[in-house]
């Protein structure tokens, strides 16, 4: 038994090692049996030959069990069969009684390797009984042992002794190897346990340091809000002495405006174990000021090591002030944006600015005198200054128009992005007199671009992190966007898919069908849900695709956006459920529910005349009661197979009861149905003749034909005729018995 086979059957290495030991034992035992077999042939001892062959058969059974994962059962068979075979050989064979007694301790060793204590004791008891049999049986004359005789006697003793010694050596080697590996595993487990304990201690120390020196505060509250414990932080955010409020209710420090909603939130936390609530509220500081607190409350009342509501909170007063200030600046900005115009500047031939309009001055909050010359550059962001100066002077020297974006300090102190467009300024005579420029506040555009970049990055991340296929196609069916999951589904890389159509990537039949679905979705102008079947690398895959028309700003459809999920396994499960819902589990044919649906459907069909046959398996209950349900089930399967060979694929064959079958025969008159009944009887006789060793399959049959829409009455009539046939056959059988 090779290593790979053992790995597929046994999960852990210990079982695989024991399986290898047991396999080795079987082969060595076969060698010993071979010695006994040839000894028996040499001495013409047929009892010994039968005993060795019987023992070999048991060893084969042991190997089969070993190959199927039954390790302990296999070992038990090896030990018991070896014990029995050796005892029988010693009793009926020649010259090996003493060697057999010596072999018993070796059997004990192998038994102890894999058997549990009870089975090991059983084997030891049987071995001791065998020893007593061999010893006292010879003494009291229960059997007579015979020594080896002839010229080969000494050689046979020698070979037998060598085999016993080899078995003993193998047993000792396997035993020591097993003990050594057990000790190694024990040492490894001890080392791992010590390492885990050290890691737990280290983690506990780190956690304690984090709790004691963290910037956040942690408190434990009772269900009514009483403070039970708080971490000994050196910088308590509320300025109170350690444990000053232990035993007091936390709501004593709560701002009056926050009392109602925080109590409601706290009650929600208390009601649900594991519940987490977050909020921001005000608590009273030691200096009598109100501080904004950001808090997270977790219900660990049912946690044995905590049994409290855990609060994790921090002071966010400064952040709230900054947020309030930022909101105020936003209000100022919106007011300014409502009345803003372009910021205009002008410079002379000396490159120095000599004019700024009022919106510029309002924007910067500076006077004209402060901005004149190079004074305006004081408002340029330091990171943008060198670049702006380089662009300005280079364009100025070449008398070229320029455009640049940079940050300019606003009257609020905020640096805002502006777009500065400068052009050479000429007088009426065409003489260059400097530059004139106008600026626009593009701070929001910059922010929007940054947000757009972040949104695009987020969208790309979402698209690539999902297992669904996400794609965009133009009106010609070319892929414009495709995520990695979608490309993998098609068996290509993203670069191989982009710019190509399904006709270039998939078989023409599949691609044509998908293209038609795309066109239908675009034509409808609405989101469509479609199932697509794609053969990829010879495998049939089913996808559920949601496709939405892609429109431009004018509303014109310029392509399609789709999300496709692999639902192959779901469809397979649905098909399996549908099959189970319409088929009989035992026979594989239709069940009564499906038959009744078909009966109703044929009732209004045009496939008349329609015949119906009712068949009932005779003596099924007797077979179940006397021979067992397995035999009864086999009778039903045999009856099913016989009926299948007679009726057509268009016929509806169903098991409608425990032992009852029904067949709908569309477009079949009574004469044709009678012929089918005859074929059923012929097939029954043939089957029973070919399987004479099995209980015979006997069917009671009834048939009726409907010429119009009266199948329910025909079903009843066929059923009555079946019972009449059953009664007649029973009466004939009784008459035959009496005769």
């Amino acid at each position: 038994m090779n290593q790979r086979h053992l790995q597929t059957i046994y999960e852990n290495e210990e079982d695989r090692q024991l399986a290898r030991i047991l396999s080795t034992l079987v082969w060595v035992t076969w060698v010993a049996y071979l010695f006994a077999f040839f000894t028996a042939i040499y001495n013409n001892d047929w009892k010994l030959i039968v005993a060795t062959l019987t023992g070999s058969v048991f060893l084969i059974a042991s190997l089969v069990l070993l190959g199927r994962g039954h390790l302990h059962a296999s070992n038990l068979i090896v030990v018991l069969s070896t014990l029995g075979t050796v005892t029988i050989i010693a009793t009926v064979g020649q010259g090996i009684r003493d060697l057999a007694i010596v072999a018993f301790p070796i059997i004990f060793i192998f038994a102890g390797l894999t058997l549990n204590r009870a089975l090991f004791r059983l084997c030891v008891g049987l071995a001791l009984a065998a020893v007593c049999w061999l010893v006292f049986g010879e003494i009291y004359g229960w059997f007579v042992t015979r020594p080896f005789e002839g010229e080969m006697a000494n050689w046979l003793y020698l070979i037998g002794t060598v085999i016993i010694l080899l078995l003993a050596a193998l047993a000792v080697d396997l035993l020591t190897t097993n003990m050594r590996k057990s000790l190694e595993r024990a040492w490894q487990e001890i080392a791992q346990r010590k390492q885990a304990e050290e890691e737990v201690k280290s983690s506990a120390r780190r956690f304690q340091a984090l709790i004691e020196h963290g910037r956040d505060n942690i408190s434990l509250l009772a269900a009514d809000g009483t403070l039970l414990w708080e971490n000994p932080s050196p910088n308590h955010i509320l300025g109170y002495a350690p444990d000053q409020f232990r035993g007091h209710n936390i709501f004593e420090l709560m701002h009056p405006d926050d009392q109602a909603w925080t109590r409601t939130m706290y009650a929600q936390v208390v009601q649900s174990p594991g519940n987490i609530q977050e909020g921001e509220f005000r608590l009273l500081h030691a200096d009598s000021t109100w501080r904004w607190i950001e808090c997270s409350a977790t219900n660990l009342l049912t946690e044995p090591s905590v049994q409290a509501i855990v609060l994790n909170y921090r002071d966010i007063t400064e952040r709230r002030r900054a947020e309030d200030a930022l909101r105020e600046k936003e209000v100022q900005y919106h007011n300014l944006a409502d009345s803003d115009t372009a910021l205009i500047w002008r410079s002379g031939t000396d490159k120095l600015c000599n004019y700024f309009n009022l919106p510029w001055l309002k924007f910067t909050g500076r006077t004209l005198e402060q901005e004149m010359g190079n004074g305006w550059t004081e408002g340029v962001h330091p990171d943008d200054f060198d670049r702006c100066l380089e662009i300005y002077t280079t364009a100025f020297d070449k008398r070229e128009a320029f455009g640049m974006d940079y940050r300019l300090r606003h009257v609020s102190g905020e640096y805002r992005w502006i777009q500065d467009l400068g052009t050479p300024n000429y007088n009426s005579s065409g003489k260059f007199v400097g530059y004139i420029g106008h600026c626009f506040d593009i701070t929001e555009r910059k922010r929007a671009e940054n947000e757009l970049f972040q949104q695009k990055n987020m969208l790309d991340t979402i698209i690539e992190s999902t297992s669904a296929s996400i794609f965009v196609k133009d009106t010609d069916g070319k892929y414009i966007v495709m995520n990695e999951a979608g490309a993998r589904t098609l068996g290509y890389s993203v670069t191989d898919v982009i710019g190509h159509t399904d006709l270039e990537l998939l078989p023409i039949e599949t691609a044509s069908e998908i293209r038609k679905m795309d066109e239908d979705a675009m034509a409808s102008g609405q989101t469509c849900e479609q199932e697509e079947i794609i053969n990829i690398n010879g495998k049939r895959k089913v996808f559920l695709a949601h496709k939405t028309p892609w429109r431009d700003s004018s509303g014109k459809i310029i392509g399609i956006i789709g999300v496709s999920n692999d639902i192959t396994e779901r469809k397979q499960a649905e098909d399996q459920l549908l099959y189970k819902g319409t088929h009989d589990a035992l026979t594989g044919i239709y069940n009564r529910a499906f038959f009744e649906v078909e009966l109703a459907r044929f009732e209004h069909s045009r496939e008349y005349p329609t015949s119906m046959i009712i068949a009932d398996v005779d003596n099924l209950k007797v077979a179940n009661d006397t021979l067992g349900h397995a035999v009864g089930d086999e009778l039903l399967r045999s009856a099913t197979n016989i009926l299948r060979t007679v009726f057509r694929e268009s016929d509806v064959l169903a098991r409608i009861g425990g032992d009852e079958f029904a067949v709908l025969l569309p477009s079949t008159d009574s004469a044709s149905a009678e012929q089918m009944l005859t074929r059923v009887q012929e097939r029954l006789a043939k089957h029973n003749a070919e399987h004479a060793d099995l209980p015979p399959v006997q069917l009671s049959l009834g048939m009726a034909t409907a010429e119009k829409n009266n199948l329910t009455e025909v079903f009843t009539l066929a059923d009555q005729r079946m019972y009449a046939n059953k009664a007649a056959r029973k009466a004939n059988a009784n008459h035959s018995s009496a005769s």
Side-chain angles (χ1 to χ4, degrees), residues 472-475 480 522 525 548-561:
V472 179
K473 302 178 186 178
D474 62 16
T475 53
I480 300 173
M522 289 187 287
T548 302
W550 177 30
R551 304 176 186 270
D552 61 13
S553 57
S554 64
K556 179 182 177 182
I557 295 177
I558 58 175
I560 193 168
I561 301 173

Side-chain angles (χ1 to χ4, degrees), residues 2 148 187 236 247 310 336 395 608 652 666 689:
N2 57 46
F148 290 132
W187 279 112
H236 197 285
V310 179
L336 179 62
Y608 285 93
V652 180

Side-chain angles (χ1 to χ4, degrees), residues 277-293:
Q277 297 286 342
E278 297 179 350
E280 296 179 2
F281 48 81
R282 288 158 289 184
L283 292 180
L284 186 63
H285 192 271
D287 61 6
S288 300
T289 61
W290 294 102
R291 296 296 178 94
W292 277 101
I293 302 298

Side-chain angles (χ1 to χ4, degrees), residues 641-658:
N641 293 333
I642 292 169
L643 294 173
R644 274 177 169 165
T645 62
V646 173
F647 298 108
R648 304 161 298 188
E649 291 187 2
S650 59
D651 300 332
V652 180
L653 171 62
R655 181 186 176 197
I656 62 174

Side-chain angles (χ1 to χ4, degrees), residues 41-106:
I41 293 176
Y42 175 77
N43 290 281
N44 197 24
D45 189 340
W46 290 103
K47 294 181 180 179
L48 183 56
I49 291 174
V50 172
T52 54
L53 291 178
T54 303
S56 299
V57 170
F58 277 104
L59 292 181
I60 294 174
S62 174
L63 276 182
V64 171
L65 290 174
L66 185 64
R68 295 184 178 180
H70 303 292
L71 179 62
H72 297 290
S74 175
N75 190 42
L76 182 61
I77 289 177
V78 170
V79 173
L80 293 179
S81 66
T82 304
L83 186 62
T85 303
V86 170
T87 303
I88 293 171
I89 291 173
T91 301
V92 304
Q94 298 189 30
I96 61 170
R97 181 183 66 83
D98 297 334
L99 296 178
I101 295 175
V102 174
F104 289 150
I106 301 174

Side-chain angles (χ1 to χ4, degrees), residues 170-209:
L170 176 62
V172 173
D173 177 66
L174 293 176
L175 183 61
T176 54
T177 301
N178 195 51
M179 291 178 62
R180 183 173 64 252
K181 290 187 176 182
S182 298
L183 289 174
E184 290 175 354
R185 286 195 297 271
W187 279 112
Q188 290 176 356
E189 291 176 358
I190 292 172
Q192 291 173 355
R193 187 179 297 111
K194 288 184 177 180
Q195 182 180 359
E197 291 174 354
E198 289 298 325
E199 290 177 354
V200 170
K201 292 179 181 178
S202 177
S203 176
R205 289 192 294 267
R206 287 195 298 269
F207 180 73
Q208 183 177 3

Side-chain angles (χ1 to χ4, degrees), residues 128 212 455 550 669:
L128 292 177
E212 294 180 355
Q455 290 176 0
W550 177 30
D669 56 20

